[in-house]
């Protein structure tokens, strides 16, 4: 118990301190007294201050905030208690509806709403009472500690739904907080995390400006210790290599985010590995190559356009762009493009034979307009190729998966020339009224190509591995097909006719066969063997050298 003498002594010491504050600072308020607390002062003032600082504070009887709220809960009737427990202190799926509470107590939905409103008003009025000052102080500390958004591990919320846990939820509720147990979050009821579309970005994204985001969240009330927790829970973002990036559902946009973070060209597979999700990688390759913000920086790599790197559109376009400045040594062009776009120098040399280029004496240039491309043909060296008559050419091709699934394929230059084609050109052939295109571009190093033969093969029942005969007719621009019997029977001329597609009248001698393969006067068996038509060569060798 404090004696009267000690109280009087404290009063004298306090008066000394106040008098010094008035004398030295002209103090008229307690702020003036505060100004002298750590400043130099006369000995008697220093002694008075030190004595006051050592004086024990009187004990104050104060009920704990949780105990006060527990006592207040005992004043509630059954209906009010259920409204508090099952509605006001719950969030999400565990929160009872007005209808459910009405059914529990035989009340209408509107009556439950009225009771809820009255209960909230009663709680607010109770907290204004002086007896509940510890609760108000606890709320002050809670608000400062939690901020607007915090992990629920910061507050003592038991998982077993005990009375103390519910009472602490009441304290949170009184402070304007809600608890989302599924998300593990305690947040101010009026606070929402920003949407991805509202985040501050570095330039145009996808990198998030985290410093600006921290300032945005701090201004909204998030406490500094909880900023990382809040940032990591913003939907539509992801932490990648310590950087925060926009992370939408679009897989190509995720690829852009990876490139922005890694800041270097990457292959589609490398980007897919960094995304680390389950998706179709083949489809992703096409989508990232077609993403407007990305581009091919080499044959196998993707870069962001904002980096300003040279764009790779293919070997031939790169060659054309470079040669627009004039002729170059082919080997130097190959090395330059290999360095710029990570392509093989051999690939550049391979594409140098495309009609759009002219290569002479190791120099390459864009083909001059006064020097048209003249294709070189030698039908006697093309396997399976026979001239049936003036207007029909026969070519044999093995049916494979590419044909059966409808892929186009290269065809011998000799066929295109026979049809009257030269680069650049497109010819439409017909089969059963349907068009099949023969095209020849200036940039192709493999010569002309024909479109899908799938329907043509299906019409004659061609199966994988069977030999398919194609007959090109240049008078009516048609193409026909026939499945070849590779083990035919009959006379020598009949067997050869089945294997070559020629008339038996053209198979009377080795000389006549030589004419049909475009090598009049040459040794037909030798040429046929050299180009791969071994079976036909062995049969032709049995023919007389010339017609009798």
């Amino acid at each position: 118990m404090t004696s009267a003498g000690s109280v009087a002594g404290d009063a004298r010491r306090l008066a000394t301190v106040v008098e010094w504050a008035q004398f030295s600072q002209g103090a008229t308020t307690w702020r003036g007294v505060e100004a002298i607390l750590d400043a130099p002062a006369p000995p008697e003032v220093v002694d008075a201050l030190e004595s006051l600082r050592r004086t024990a504070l009187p004990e104050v009887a104060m009920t704990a905030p949780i105990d006060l709220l527990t006592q207040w809960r005992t004043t509630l009737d059954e209906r009010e208690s259920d409204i508090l427990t099952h509605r006001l202190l719950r969030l999400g799926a565990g929160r009872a509806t007005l209808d459910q509470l009405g059914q529990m107590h035989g009340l209408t939905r509107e009556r439950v709403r009225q009771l809820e409103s009255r209960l909230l008003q009663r709680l607010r009025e109770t907290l204004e009472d002086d007896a509940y000052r510890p609760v108000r102080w606890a709320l002050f500390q809670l608000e400062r500690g939690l901020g607007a958004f915090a992990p629920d591990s910061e507050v003592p919320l038991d998982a077993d739904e005990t009375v103390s846990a519910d009472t602490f939820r009441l304290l949170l509720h009184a402070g304007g907080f809600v608890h989302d147990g599924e998300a593990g979050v305690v947040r101010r009821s009026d606070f929402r995390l920003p949407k991805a579309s509202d985040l501050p970005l570095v330039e145009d994204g996808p990198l998030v400006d985290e410093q600006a985001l921290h300032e945005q969240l701090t201004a909204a009330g998030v406490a500094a210790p909880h900023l990382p927790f809040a940032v990591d829970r913003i939907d539509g973002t992801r932490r990648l290599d310590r950087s925060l990036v926009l992370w939408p559902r679009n897989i190509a946009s995720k690829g852009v985010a990876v490139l922005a973070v890694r800041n270097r060209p990457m292959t589609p597979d490398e980007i897919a590995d960094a995304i680390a999700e389950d998706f179709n990688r083949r489809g992703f390759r096409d989508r990232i190559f077609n993403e407007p913000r990305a581009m091919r920086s080499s044959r196998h790599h993707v870069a962001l356009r904002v980096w300003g790197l040279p764009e790779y559109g293919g070997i031939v376009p790169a060659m054309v762009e470079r040669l627009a400045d004039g002729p170059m040594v082919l080997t130097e062009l190959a090395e330059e493009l290999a360095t710029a776009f990570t392509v093989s120098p051999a690939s550049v040399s391979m594409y140098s034979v495309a009609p759009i280029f002219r290569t002479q004496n190791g120099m390459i240039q864009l083909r001059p307009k006064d020097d048209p491309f003249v294709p070189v043909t030698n039908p006697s060296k093309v396997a399976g190729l026979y001239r049936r008559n003036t207007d029909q050419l026969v070519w044999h091709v093995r049916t494979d998966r590419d044909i059966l699934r409808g892929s186009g394929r290269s065809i011998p230059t000799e066929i295109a020339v026979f049809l009257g084609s030269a680069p650049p050109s497109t010819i439409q052939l017909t089969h059963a009224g349907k068009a099949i295109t023969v095209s020849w571009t200036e940039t192709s190093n493999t010569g002309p190509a024909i479109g899908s033969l799938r329907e043509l093969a299906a019409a004659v029942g061609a199966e994988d591995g069977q030999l398919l005969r194609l007959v090109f007719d240049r008078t009516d621009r048609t193409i026909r097909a026939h499945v070849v019997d590779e083990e035919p029977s009959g006379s020598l001329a009949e067997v050869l006719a089945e294997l070559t597609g020629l008339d038996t009248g053209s198979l009377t001698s080795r000389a006549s066969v030589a004419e049909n393969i475009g090598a009049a006067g040459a040794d037909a068996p030798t040429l046929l063997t050299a180009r791969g038509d071994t079976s036909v060569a062995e049969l032709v060798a049995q023919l007389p050298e010339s017609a009798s």
Side-chain angles (χ1 to χ4, degrees):
M1 184 174 179
T2 305
S3 67
S6 64
V7 171
D10 287 344
R12 286 194 304 272
R13 287 185 281 271
L14 182 59
T16 300
V17 171
V18 171
E19 289 169 1
W20 168 248
Q22 291 174 336
F23 175 82
S24 62
Q25 300 289 335
T28 58
T29 64
W30 279 106
R31 185 175 295 278
V33 176
E34 290 176 358
I36 71 166
L37 293 181
D38 294 311
E44 62 267 32
V45 175
V46 172
D47 290 342
L49 279 171
E50 289 303 316
S51 179
L52 287 170
R53 285 167 174 157
R54 292 193 299 269
T55 300
L57 295 175
E59 294 184 3
V60 178
M62 185 178 295
T63 306
I66 293 297
D67 292 338
L68 286 170
L69 290 175
T70 300
Q71 293 171 13
W72 178 79
R73 291 186 66 185
T74 63
T75 67
L76 305 180
D77 61 28
E78 182 181 358
R79 294 183 307 185
E80 292 171 329
S81 181
D82 282 344
I83 292 173
L84 179 69
T85 302
H86 299 298
R87 182 162 173 82
L88 298 182
L89 304 184
R90 293 293 181 272
L91 190 68
R95 188 174 190 233
T97 66
L98 294 173
D99 288 329
Q100 289 172 333
L101 286 170
Q103 292 174 4
M104 289 173 59
H105 295 282
L107 301 173
T108 65
R109 184 178 187 277
E110 177 59 23
R111 179 54 180 159
V112 174
R113 189 195 62 76
Q114 292 172 356
L115 291 172
E116 178 183 302
S117 178
R118 189 175 68 182
L119 180 61
L120 287 172
Q121 180 61 29
R122 179 178 167 189
L123 175 61
R124 285 191 289 268
E125 292 173 353
T126 298
L127 293 181
E128 292 174 359
D129 192 289
D130 282 347
Y132 282 81
R133 183 167 53 190
V135 176
R136 296 198 299 273
W137 288 358
L139 292 176
F140 175 81
Q141 290 182 314
L142 198 63
E143 291 166 2
R144 289 182 59 84
L146 291 179
F149 191 86
D152 63 5
S153 57
E154 292 289 302
V155 293
L157 293 168
D158 299 333
D160 59 0
E161 298 296 326
T162 61
V163 172
S164 63
D166 263 353
T167 303
F168 197 88
R169 285 192 180 89
L170 177 57
L171 181 64
L172 287 174
H173 185 82
F177 291 93
V178 294
H179 173 228
D180 187 342
E182 294 182 3
V185 165
V186 174
R187 62 172 173 81
R188 205 173 59 215
S189 59
D190 63 346
F191 176 82
R192 297 293 185 275
L193 287 172
K195 298 179 181 178
S197 57
D198 298 328
L199 298 181
L201 303 177
V202 177
E203 296 180 350
D204 293 327
L207 291 174
V208 177
D209 186 335
E210 288 199 69
Q211 180 176 351
L213 176 58
H214 283 188
E215 293 173 358
Q216 178 180 329
L217 291 173
T218 300
V222 178
H226 303 143
L227 286 172
F229 175 80
V231 169
D232 287 345
R233 278 156 182 76
I234 297 175
D235 289 338
T237 65
R238 174 176 166 178
R239 184 72 59 181
L240 187 65
D241 295 351
R242 298 184 180 180
S243 295
L244 187 69
V245 295
L246 296 179
W247 201 252
R249 293 183 179 180
N250 182 286
I251 195 67
S253 294
K254 292 178 180 179
V256 169
V258 170
L259 288 169
V261 171
R262 298 289 169 87
N263 198 32
R264 62 176 176 84
M266 300 173 67
T267 67
D269 282 341
E270 289 174 334
I271 299 173
D273 289 341
I275 293 174
E277 295 177 6
D278 186 20
F279 55 88
N280 185 312
R281 291 201 171 204
R282 178 177 295 180
F284 170 71
R285 179 184 179 88
D286 293 337
R287 295 184 68 178
I288 193 64
F289 278 145
N290 291 309
E291 161 61 45
R293 291 168 291 176
M295 69 175 199
R296 294 180 71 171
S297 60
S298 76
R299 184 179 179 186
H300 302 293
H301 290 80
V302 187
L304 293 181
R305 291 189 181 277
V306 295
W307 296 343
L309 298 177
E311 183 171 3
Y312 174 77
I315 294 178
V316 172
M319 293 170 68
V320 170
E321 182 177 355
R322 184 63 183 86
L323 292 173
D325 296 330
M328 289 186 66
V329 176
L330 177 57
T331 54
E332 293 180 358
L333 174 64
E335 291 299 331
E336 181 179 316
L337 296 183
T339 300
F341 298 115
T342 321
V343 297
S344 167
S347 297
V348 177
S349 297
M350 181 178 66
Y351 279 101
S352 68
V353 302
I356 198 171
F357 305 117
R358 183 175 72 180
T359 305
Q360 291 178 328
N361 302 321
M363 298 292 294
I364 183 171
Q365 67 179 120
L366 293 177
R367 182 171 295 280
K369 292 182 179 180
D370 60 358
D371 182 25
F373 174 75
V374 178
V376 177
T377 61
N378 192 343
S380 66
K381 292 186 177 182
V382 180
L385 187 66
Y386 303 94
R387 181 73 169 268
R388 177 179 284 181
N389 54 47
T390 303
D391 297 315
Q392 291 185 341
L393 199 64
V394 178
W395 182 48
H396 297 81
V397 60
R398 188 70 61 181
T399 306
D400 57 18
R401 292 184 180 179
D402 286 338
I403 287 179
L404 296 178
R405 69 167 171 245
S407 301
R409 64 193 305 117
S410 296
I411 60 172
T413 299
E414 288 75 7
I415 295 177
V417 171
F418 173 79
L419 294 171
S421 175
S425 67
T426 299
I427 292 177
Q428 295 291 338
L429 303 178
T430 59
H431 167 74
K434 296 184 179 179
I436 298 178
T437 302
V438 173
S439 59
W440 197 350
T441 66
E442 291 183 299
T443 57
S444 172
N445 70 311
T446 57
I450 192 167
S452 172
L453 299 173
R454 179 173 57 186
E455 291 190 12
L456 186 146
V460 295
E463 298 179 356
D464 190 16
Q466 289 186 315
L467 191 64
L468 187 66
R469 175 180 300 132
L470 302 177
V471 181
F472 298 88
D473 192 314
R474 63 184 177 185
T475 57
D476 56 9
R477 296 286 179 90
T478 60
I479 179 173
R480 299 191 303 277
H482 174 74
V483 175
V484 178
D485 179 2
E486 297 186 71
E487 296 182 358
S489 59
S491 66
L492 179 58
E494 290 171 339
V495 171
L496 279 171
E498 176 61 26
L499 295 178
T500 64
L502 299 173
D503 297 330
T504 54
S506 302
L507 298 168
T508 57
S509 66
R510 280 177 279 174
S512 64
V513 173
E515 290 182 5
N516 290 125
I517 63 174
D523 182 23
T526 301
L527 291 175
L528 289 166
T529 300
R531 74 183 199 177
D533 292 328
T534 307
S535 299
V536 174
E538 293 174 351
L539 294 171
V540 171
Q542 300 176 35
L543 295 173
E545 186 171 342
S546 61
S548 55

